[in-house]
């Protein structure tokens, strides 16, 4: 009688649909203090919510009426982004106020939909001494930035060629002839964008550790990694479920940090899949495919790390090489590629795995912001020849936030603005992707 009682309240751990936990221990954690995370960055965090999490997060993190939440939750396809904006607006208003939320939304719209440089876009101050020193703090290669939905899974280590800078490498001996064979006067073509003009680009799907693995049969079984693969029935297919063409299906397993990639993939009624070829990559290591084997790409390389992704362009920097296609290649591949797809011995044609870069002196300052970020990556990290296709086609993941007009400005850059680079001096072991640092 009269004994004090202690009461405790606990709540379930909040996780995303892919199984990642939210909180200070997770990559991409959210600070409530505006000095640690600006209202704009806070707004963008909610704007980039995974599609499957939007209905639940609207209920958990906003005070919107349930009938309004139900309407937003019913949106599908590209329209789900309107629900994401509503989530970002409401969550930012609760923490920072309506004015800050409105300003953040305006900044995002001006920058990523109108192609302008918004007045309130976050900036970084760089001292004169840092500029004279050549920004050494940014010079080192870094692990690949994780894809949205897999914050704990880097896209290969910093020592991986996809994450290797090539701006200081020597020019290859046959550079001029090779660039001419691809097309001196052909402009770059971003083979991705928003869904405004159709479904194009190469999407990827993230799955959690509980995703059931299914059987996959292959046309080129001798070149493919055996299954099963954790590919859901509704996995995103390049071009859409009824498309022809390459029909890539790319799946990131967020629990094991493994990448499963299929080419010419088709689902079966029993939940299994059939594909032309497939490969599995450990995102934490530098293991290459066996020499001479293809993957879901002609060069025997992974596809996902070479895609231009909206979230990295929105962050202002791409830290990896970019995948491109060319019309014709030779019967040869260069490390770290593992496979050729040609019978030609013409040495003026590019081999699979060739690295090229946008020449340092090319002026990109007048490009719209989205195109400028991509062009800068082509100067710093270059592009990798990964497949036969159209000349100077740049690969990326589709996203309705892309500004198609801004991306098309890349056509102002031509083949003659590029040079092939010689990466032979970086080779340590021909059977490992790790390069000499």
């Amino acid at each position: 009688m009269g004994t004090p009682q202690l009461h405790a309240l606990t709540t379930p751990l909040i996780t995303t649909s892919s199984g990642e936990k939210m909180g200070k221990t997770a990559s991409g954690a959210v600070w409530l203090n505006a000095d640690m995370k600006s209202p704009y960055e806070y707004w963008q965090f909610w704007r980039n919510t995974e599609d499957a999490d939007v209905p639940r997060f609207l209920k958990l993190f906003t005070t919107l009426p349930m009938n309004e939440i139900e309407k937003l939750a019913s949106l599908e396809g590209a329209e789900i982004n309107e629900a994401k904006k509503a989530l970002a607006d409401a969550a930012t208003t609760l923490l920072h106020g309506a004015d800050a939320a409105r300003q953040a939304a305006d900044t995002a719209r001006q920058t990523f939909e109108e192609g302008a440089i918004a007045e309130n876009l976050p900036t970084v101050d760089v001292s004169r001494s840092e500029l004279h020193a050549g920004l050494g703090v940014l010079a080192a290669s870094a692990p690949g930035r994780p894809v949205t939905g897999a914050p704990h899974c880097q896209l290969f280590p910093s020592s991986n060629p996809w994450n290797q800078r090539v701006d200081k490498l020597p020019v290859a001996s046959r550079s001029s002839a090779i660039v001419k064979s691809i097309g001196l006067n052909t402009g770059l073509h971003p083979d991705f964008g928003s869904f405004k003009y159709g479904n194009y680009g190469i999407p990827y799907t993230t799955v959690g550790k509980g995703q059931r693995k299914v059987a996959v049969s292959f046309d080129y079984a001798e070149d493919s990694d055996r299954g099963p693969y954790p590919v859901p029935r509704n996995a995103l297919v390049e071009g859409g479920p009824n498309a022809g063409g390459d029909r890539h299906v790319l799946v990131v397993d967020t629990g094991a940090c493994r990448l499963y990639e299929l080419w010419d993939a088709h689902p079966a009624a029993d939940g299994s899949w059939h594909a032309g070829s497939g490969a599995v990559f450990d995102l934490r290591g530098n293991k290459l495919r066996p020499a001479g084997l293809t993957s879901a790409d002609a060069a025997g390389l992974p596809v996902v790390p070479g895609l231009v992704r909206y979230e990295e362009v929105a962050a202002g920097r791409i830290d990896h090489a970019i995948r491109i296609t060319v019309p014709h290649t030779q019967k040869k591949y260069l490390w770290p590629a593992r496979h050729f797809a040609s019978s030609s011995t013409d040495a003026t044609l590019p081999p699979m795995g060739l690295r090229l870069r946008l020449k340092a002196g090319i002026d990109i300052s007048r490009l719209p912001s989205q195109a400028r970020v991509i062009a800068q990556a082509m100067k710093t990290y270059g592009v990798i020849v990964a497949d036969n296709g159209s000349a100077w086609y740049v690969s990326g993941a589709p996203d309705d936030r892309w500004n198609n007009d801004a991306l098309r400005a890349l056509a102002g850059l031509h083949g003659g603005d590029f040079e092939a680079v010689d990466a032979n001096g970086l080779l340590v072991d021909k059977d490992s992707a790790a390069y000499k640092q």
Side-chain angles (χ1 to χ4, degrees), residues 42-63:
Y42 187 77
W43 190 94
Q44 280 287 353
F45 173 85
W46 297 109
R47 174 63 180 83
N48 291 324
T49 296
E50 295 180 52
D51 292 1
D53 291 322
V54 173
R56 186 163 57 98
F57 286 1
L58 281 166
K59 297 174 184 176
L60 288 173
F61 299 109
T62 79
T63 57

PDB file of all heavy atoms in Angstrom, residues 42-63:
ATOM      1  N   TYR A  42      15.584  17.468 -44.853  1.00  0.00           N
ATOM      2  CA  TYR A  42      14.548  16.713 -44.158  1.00  0.00           C
ATOM      3  C   TYR A  42      13.382  16.433 -45.112  1.00  0.00           C
ATOM      4  O   TYR A  42      12.859  15.318 -45.169  1.00  0.00           O
ATOM      5  CB  TYR A  42      14.073  17.517 -42.950  1.00  0.00           C
ATOM      6  CG  TYR A  42      13.120  16.793 -42.027  1.00  0.00           C
ATOM      7  CD1 TYR A  42      13.575  15.838 -41.126  1.00  0.00           C
ATOM      8  CD2 TYR A  42      11.751  17.078 -42.046  1.00  0.00           C
ATOM      9  CE1 TYR A  42      12.703  15.182 -40.271  1.00  0.00           C
ATOM     10  CE2 TYR A  42      10.867  16.424 -41.195  1.00  0.00           C
ATOM     11  CZ  TYR A  42      11.349  15.481 -40.315  1.00  0.00           C
ATOM     12  OH  TYR A  42      10.486  14.828 -39.468  1.00  0.00           O
ATOM     13  N   TRP A  43      12.983  17.449 -45.863  1.00  0.00           N
ATOM     14  CA  TRP A  43      11.900  17.287 -46.847  1.00  0.00           C
ATOM     15  C   TRP A  43      12.294  16.232 -47.877  1.00  0.00           C
ATOM     16  O   TRP A  43      11.488  15.355 -48.224  1.00  0.00           O
ATOM     17  CB  TRP A  43      11.634  18.625 -47.534  1.00  0.00           C
ATOM     18  CG  TRP A  43      10.404  18.669 -48.394  1.00  0.00           C
ATOM     19  CD1 TRP A  43       9.159  19.081 -48.041  1.00  0.00           C
ATOM     20  CD2 TRP A  43      10.323  18.304 -49.793  1.00  0.00           C
ATOM     21  NE1 TRP A  43       8.292  18.991 -49.107  1.00  0.00           N
ATOM     22  CE2 TRP A  43       8.974  18.517 -50.197  1.00  0.00           C
ATOM     23  CE3 TRP A  43      11.232  17.835 -50.724  1.00  0.00           C
ATOM     24  CZ2 TRP A  43       8.551  18.268 -51.486  1.00  0.00           C
ATOM     25  CZ3 TRP A  43      10.798  17.578 -52.020  1.00  0.00           C
ATOM     26  CH2 TRP A  43       9.473  17.796 -52.386  1.00  0.00           C
ATOM     27  N   GLN A  44      13.549  16.271 -48.371  1.00  0.00           N
ATOM     28  CA  GLN A  44      13.998  15.307 -49.373  1.00  0.00           C
ATOM     29  C   GLN A  44      14.030  13.882 -48.822  1.00  0.00           C
ATOM     30  O   GLN A  44      13.782  12.919 -49.561  1.00  0.00           O
ATOM     31  CB  GLN A  44      15.399  15.690 -49.876  1.00  0.00           C
ATOM     32  CG  GLN A  44      15.410  16.800 -50.909  1.00  0.00           C
ATOM     33  CD  GLN A  44      14.896  16.330 -52.261  1.00  0.00           C
ATOM     34  OE1 GLN A  44      14.639  15.160 -52.490  1.00  0.00           O
ATOM     35  NE2 GLN A  44      14.732  17.274 -53.174  1.00  0.00           N
ATOM     36  N   PHE A  45      14.340  13.749 -47.515  1.00  0.00           N
ATOM     37  CA  PHE A  45      14.346  12.409 -46.924  1.00  0.00           C
ATOM     38  C   PHE A  45      12.982  11.751 -47.100  1.00  0.00           C
ATOM     39  O   PHE A  45      12.876  10.598 -47.531  1.00  0.00           O
ATOM     40  CB  PHE A  45      14.706  12.490 -45.443  1.00  0.00           C
ATOM     41  CG  PHE A  45      14.571  11.172 -44.724  1.00  0.00           C
ATOM     42  CD1 PHE A  45      15.609  10.260 -44.743  1.00  0.00           C
ATOM     43  CD2 PHE A  45      13.399  10.833 -44.058  1.00  0.00           C
ATOM     44  CE1 PHE A  45      15.488   9.031 -44.096  1.00  0.00           C
ATOM     45  CE2 PHE A  45      13.270   9.608 -43.405  1.00  0.00           C
ATOM     46  CZ  PHE A  45      14.317   8.707 -43.431  1.00  0.00           C
ATOM     47  N   TRP A  46      11.925  12.473 -46.771  1.00  0.00           N
ATOM     48  CA  TRP A  46      10.584  11.901 -46.893  1.00  0.00           C
ATOM     49  C   TRP A  46      10.162  11.794 -48.349  1.00  0.00           C
ATOM     50  O   TRP A  46       9.448  10.860 -48.734  1.00  0.00           O
ATOM     51  CB  TRP A  46       9.584  12.757 -46.108  1.00  0.00           C
ATOM     52  CG  TRP A  46       9.873  12.766 -44.643  1.00  0.00           C
ATOM     53  CD1 TRP A  46      10.362  13.796 -43.897  1.00  0.00           C
ATOM     54  CD2 TRP A  46       9.719  11.667 -43.733  1.00  0.00           C
ATOM     55  NE1 TRP A  46      10.529  13.411 -42.588  1.00  0.00           N
ATOM     56  CE2 TRP A  46      10.133  12.106 -42.463  1.00  0.00           C
ATOM     57  CE3 TRP A  46       9.269  10.356 -43.874  1.00  0.00           C
ATOM     58  CZ2 TRP A  46      10.110  11.285 -41.341  1.00  0.00           C
ATOM     59  CZ3 TRP A  46       9.252   9.534 -42.765  1.00  0.00           C
ATOM     60  CH2 TRP A  46       9.667  10.002 -41.509  1.00  0.00           C
ATOM     61  N   ARG A  47      10.606  12.699 -49.199  1.00  0.00           N
ATOM     62  CA  ARG A  47      10.275  12.650 -50.623  1.00  0.00           C
ATOM     63  C   ARG A  47      10.839  11.386 -51.269  1.00  0.00           C
ATOM     64  O   ARG A  47      10.280  10.853 -52.233  1.00  0.00           O
ATOM     65  CB  ARG A  47      10.844  13.897 -51.315  1.00  0.00           C
ATOM     66  CG  ARG A  47      10.694  13.914 -52.839  1.00  0.00           C
ATOM     67  CD  ARG A  47       9.232  13.913 -53.235  1.00  0.00           C
ATOM     68  NE  ARG A  47       9.065  13.933 -54.670  1.00  0.00           N
ATOM     69  CZ  ARG A  47       9.109  12.851 -55.445  1.00  0.00           C
ATOM     70  NH1 ARG A  47       9.321  11.658 -54.910  1.00  0.00           N
ATOM     71  NH2 ARG A  47       8.926  12.941 -56.745  1.00  0.00           N
ATOM     72  N   ASN A  48      11.951  10.864 -50.749  1.00  0.00           N
ATOM     73  CA  ASN A  48      12.587   9.690 -51.330  1.00  0.00           C
ATOM     74  C   ASN A  48      12.169   8.382 -50.647  1.00  0.00           C
ATOM     75  O   ASN A  48      12.839   7.363 -50.786  1.00  0.00           O
ATOM     76  CB  ASN A  48      14.116   9.841 -51.251  1.00  0.00           C
ATOM     77  CG  ASN A  48      14.616  10.937 -52.171  1.00  0.00           C
ATOM     78  OD1 ASN A  48      14.089  11.122 -53.265  1.00  0.00           O
ATOM     79  ND2 ASN A  48      15.613  11.681 -51.736  1.00  0.00           N
ATOM     80  N   THR A  49      11.060   8.418 -49.930  1.00  0.00           N
ATOM     81  CA  THR A  49      10.536   7.209 -49.293  1.00  0.00           C
ATOM     82  C   THR A  49      10.231   6.122 -50.334  1.00  0.00           C
ATOM     83  O   THR A  49       9.774   6.426 -51.440  1.00  0.00           O
ATOM     84  CB  THR A  49       9.237   7.547 -48.523  1.00  0.00           C
ATOM     85  OG1 THR A  49       9.552   8.447 -47.470  1.00  0.00           O
ATOM     86  CG2 THR A  49       8.598   6.303 -47.933  1.00  0.00           C
ATOM     87  N   GLU A  50      10.492   4.863 -49.983  1.00  0.00           N
ATOM     88  CA  GLU A  50      10.141   3.758 -50.875  1.00  0.00           C
ATOM     89  C   GLU A  50       8.624   3.737 -51.092  1.00  0.00           C
ATOM     90  O   GLU A  50       7.849   4.031 -50.178  1.00  0.00           O
ATOM     91  CB  GLU A  50      10.586   2.432 -50.278  1.00  0.00           C
ATOM     92  CG  GLU A  50      12.087   2.278 -50.137  1.00  0.00           C
ATOM     93  CD  GLU A  50      12.455   0.933 -49.531  1.00  0.00           C
ATOM     94  OE1 GLU A  50      11.988  -0.101 -50.053  1.00  0.00           O
ATOM     95  OE2 GLU A  50      13.189   0.917 -48.543  1.00  0.00           O
ATOM     96  N   ASP A  51       8.209   3.362 -52.286  1.00  0.00           N
ATOM     97  CA  ASP A  51       6.784   3.365 -52.629  1.00  0.00           C
ATOM     98  C   ASP A  51       5.946   2.602 -51.607  1.00  0.00           C
ATOM     99  O   ASP A  51       4.885   3.066 -51.178  1.00  0.00           O
ATOM    100  CB  ASP A  51       6.580   2.738 -54.012  1.00  0.00           C
ATOM    101  CG  ASP A  51       7.157   3.585 -55.132  1.00  0.00           C
ATOM    102  OD1 ASP A  51       7.733   4.644 -54.833  1.00  0.00           O
ATOM    103  OD2 ASP A  51       7.044   3.184 -56.302  1.00  0.00           O
ATOM    104  N   ALA A  52       6.410   1.410 -51.224  1.00  0.00           N
ATOM    105  CA  ALA A  52       5.614   0.549 -50.345  1.00  0.00           C
ATOM    106  C   ALA A  52       5.439   1.124 -48.947  1.00  0.00           C
ATOM    107  O   ALA A  52       4.521   0.730 -48.217  1.00  0.00           O
ATOM    108  CB  ALA A  52       6.257  -0.836 -50.259  1.00  0.00           C
ATOM    109  N   ASP A  53       6.299   2.062 -48.556  1.00  0.00           N
ATOM    110  CA  ASP A  53       6.243   2.619 -47.204  1.00  0.00           C
ATOM    111  C   ASP A  53       5.362   3.863 -47.097  1.00  0.00           C
ATOM    112  O   ASP A  53       5.060   4.306 -45.989  1.00  0.00           O
ATOM    113  CB  ASP A  53       7.651   2.985 -46.717  1.00  0.00           C
ATOM    114  CG  ASP A  53       8.505   1.767 -46.462  1.00  0.00           C
ATOM    115  OD1 ASP A  53       7.958   0.769 -45.957  1.00  0.00           O
ATOM    116  OD2 ASP A  53       9.709   1.804 -46.768  1.00  0.00           O
ATOM    117  N   VAL A  54       4.973   4.435 -48.217  1.00  0.00           N
ATOM    118  CA  VAL A  54       4.259   5.719 -48.184  1.00  0.00           C
ATOM    119  C   VAL A  54       2.962   5.659 -47.373  1.00  0.00           C
ATOM    120  O   VAL A  54       2.750   6.504 -46.489  1.00  0.00           O
ATOM    121  CB  VAL A  54       3.994   6.217 -49.621  1.00  0.00           C
ATOM    122  CG1 VAL A  54       3.112   7.463 -49.596  1.00  0.00           C
ATOM    123  CG2 VAL A  54       5.311   6.544 -50.312  1.00  0.00           C
ATOM    124  N   PRO A  55       2.062   4.691 -47.605  1.00  0.00           N
ATOM    125  CA  PRO A  55       0.816   4.686 -46.823  1.00  0.00           C
ATOM    126  C   PRO A  55       1.057   4.602 -45.315  1.00  0.00           C
ATOM    127  O   PRO A  55       0.423   5.328 -44.527  1.00  0.00           O
ATOM    128  CB  PRO A  55       0.083   3.446 -47.349  1.00  0.00           C
ATOM    129  CG  PRO A  55       0.618   3.231 -48.721  1.00  0.00           C
ATOM    130  CD  PRO A  55       2.057   3.612 -48.626  1.00  0.00           C
ATOM    131  N   ARG A  56       1.973   3.724 -44.907  1.00  0.00           N
ATOM    132  CA  ARG A  56       2.233   3.547 -43.472  1.00  0.00           C
ATOM    133  C   ARG A  56       2.867   4.793 -42.863  1.00  0.00           C
ATOM    134  O   ARG A  56       2.521   5.218 -41.762  1.00  0.00           O
ATOM    135  CB  ARG A  56       3.142   2.329 -43.269  1.00  0.00           C
ATOM    136  CG  ARG A  56       3.373   1.956 -41.812  1.00  0.00           C
ATOM    137  CD  ARG A  56       3.916   0.534 -41.715  1.00  0.00           C
ATOM    138  NE  ARG A  56       5.139   0.377 -42.472  1.00  0.00           N
ATOM    139  CZ  ARG A  56       6.366   0.437 -41.926  1.00  0.00           C
ATOM    140  NH1 ARG A  56       6.490   0.617 -40.624  1.00  0.00           N
ATOM    141  NH2 ARG A  56       7.439   0.269 -42.674  1.00  0.00           N
ATOM    142  N   PHE A  57       3.799   5.400 -43.585  1.00  0.00           N
ATOM    143  CA  PHE A  57       4.472   6.583 -43.046  1.00  0.00           C
ATOM    144  C   PHE A  57       3.529   7.784 -42.992  1.00  0.00           C
ATOM    145  O   PHE A  57       3.674   8.660 -42.135  1.00  0.00           O
ATOM    146  CB  PHE A  57       5.711   6.903 -43.874  1.00  0.00           C
ATOM    147  CG  PHE A  57       6.859   5.949 -43.646  1.00  0.00           C
ATOM    148  CD1 PHE A  57       6.737   4.886 -42.762  1.00  0.00           C
ATOM    149  CD2 PHE A  57       8.057   6.107 -44.323  1.00  0.00           C
ATOM    150  CE1 PHE A  57       7.788   4.003 -42.543  1.00  0.00           C
ATOM    151  CE2 PHE A  57       9.114   5.232 -44.110  1.00  0.00           C
ATOM    152  CZ  PHE A  57       8.976   4.177 -43.229  1.00  0.00           C
ATOM    153  N   LEU A  58       2.576   7.859 -43.917  1.00  0.00           N
ATOM    154  CA  LEU A  58       1.581   8.932 -43.847  1.00  0.00           C
ATOM    155  C   LEU A  58       0.779   8.826 -42.547  1.00  0.00           C
ATOM    156  O   LEU A  58       0.432   9.835 -41.925  1.00  0.00           O
ATOM    157  CB  LEU A  58       0.642   8.867 -45.054  1.00  0.00           C
ATOM    158  CG  LEU A  58       1.180   9.429 -46.371  1.00  0.00           C
ATOM    159  CD1 LEU A  58       0.292   8.999 -47.539  1.00  0.00           C
ATOM    160  CD2 LEU A  58       1.281  10.948 -46.311  1.00  0.00           C
ATOM    161  N   LYS A  59       0.502   7.587 -42.141  1.00  0.00           N
ATOM    162  CA  LYS A  59      -0.257   7.375 -40.902  1.00  0.00           C
ATOM    163  C   LYS A  59       0.603   7.626 -39.664  1.00  0.00           C
ATOM    164  O   LYS A  59       0.125   8.155 -38.653  1.00  0.00           O
ATOM    165  CB  LYS A  59      -0.808   5.951 -40.864  1.00  0.00           C
ATOM    166  CG  LYS A  59      -1.803   5.640 -41.978  1.00  0.00           C
ATOM    167  CD  LYS A  59      -2.189   4.162 -41.975  1.00  0.00           C
ATOM    168  CE  LYS A  59      -3.101   3.829 -43.158  1.00  0.00           C
ATOM    169  NZ  LYS A  59      -3.410   2.366 -43.223  1.00  0.00           N
ATOM    170  N   LEU A  60       1.883   7.256 -39.739  1.00  0.00           N
ATOM    171  CA  LEU A  60       2.764   7.356 -38.580  1.00  0.00           C
ATOM    172  C   LEU A  60       3.319   8.758 -38.350  1.00  0.00           C
ATOM    173  O   LEU A  60       3.463   9.197 -37.205  1.00  0.00           O
ATOM    174  CB  LEU A  60       3.939   6.377 -38.725  1.00  0.00           C
ATOM    175  CG  LEU A  60       3.650   4.890 -38.553  1.00  0.00           C
ATOM    176  CD1 LEU A  60       4.894   4.079 -38.900  1.00  0.00           C
ATOM    177  CD2 LEU A  60       3.218   4.587 -37.125  1.00  0.00           C
ATOM    178  N   PHE A  61       3.639   9.456 -39.419  1.00  0.00           N
ATOM    179  CA  PHE A  61       4.424  10.682 -39.286  1.00  0.00           C
ATOM    180  C   PHE A  61       3.708  11.955 -39.732  1.00  0.00           C
ATOM    181  O   PHE A  61       4.332  13.006 -39.863  1.00  0.00           O
ATOM    182  CB  PHE A  61       5.741  10.533 -40.061  1.00  0.00           C
ATOM    183  CG  PHE A  61       6.599   9.408 -39.566  1.00  0.00           C
ATOM    184  CD1 PHE A  61       6.776   8.249 -40.326  1.00  0.00           C
ATOM    185  CD2 PHE A  61       7.223   9.477 -38.330  1.00  0.00           C
ATOM    186  CE1 PHE A  61       7.557   7.205 -39.872  1.00  0.00           C
ATOM    187  CE2 PHE A  61       8.006   8.437 -37.864  1.00  0.00           C
ATOM    188  CZ  PHE A  61       8.174   7.294 -38.632  1.00  0.00           C
ATOM    189  N   THR A  62       2.409  11.877 -39.991  1.00  0.00           N
ATOM    190  CA  THR A  62       1.648  13.080 -40.329  1.00  0.00           C
ATOM    191  C   THR A  62       0.342  13.091 -39.533  1.00  0.00           C
ATOM    192  O   THR A  62      -0.041  12.083 -38.935  1.00  0.00           O
ATOM    193  CB  THR A  62       1.305  13.147 -41.836  1.00  0.00           C
ATOM    194  OG1 THR A  62       0.176  12.302 -42.127  1.00  0.00           O
ATOM    195  CG2 THR A  62       2.480  12.725 -42.702  1.00  0.00           C
ATOM    196  N   THR A  63      -0.306  14.232 -39.545  1.00  0.00           N
ATOM    197  CA  THR A  63      -1.626  14.355 -38.905  1.00  0.00           C
ATOM    198  C   THR A  63      -2.709  14.569 -39.951  1.00  0.00           C
ATOM    199  O   THR A  63      -3.761  15.128 -39.654  1.00  0.00           O
ATOM    200  CB  THR A  63      -1.617  15.523 -37.901  1.00  0.00           C
ATOM    201  OG1 THR A  63      -1.251  16.734 -38.581  1.00  0.00           O
ATOM    202  CG2 THR A  63      -0.633  15.265 -36.764  1.00  0.00           C
TER     203      THR A  63
END
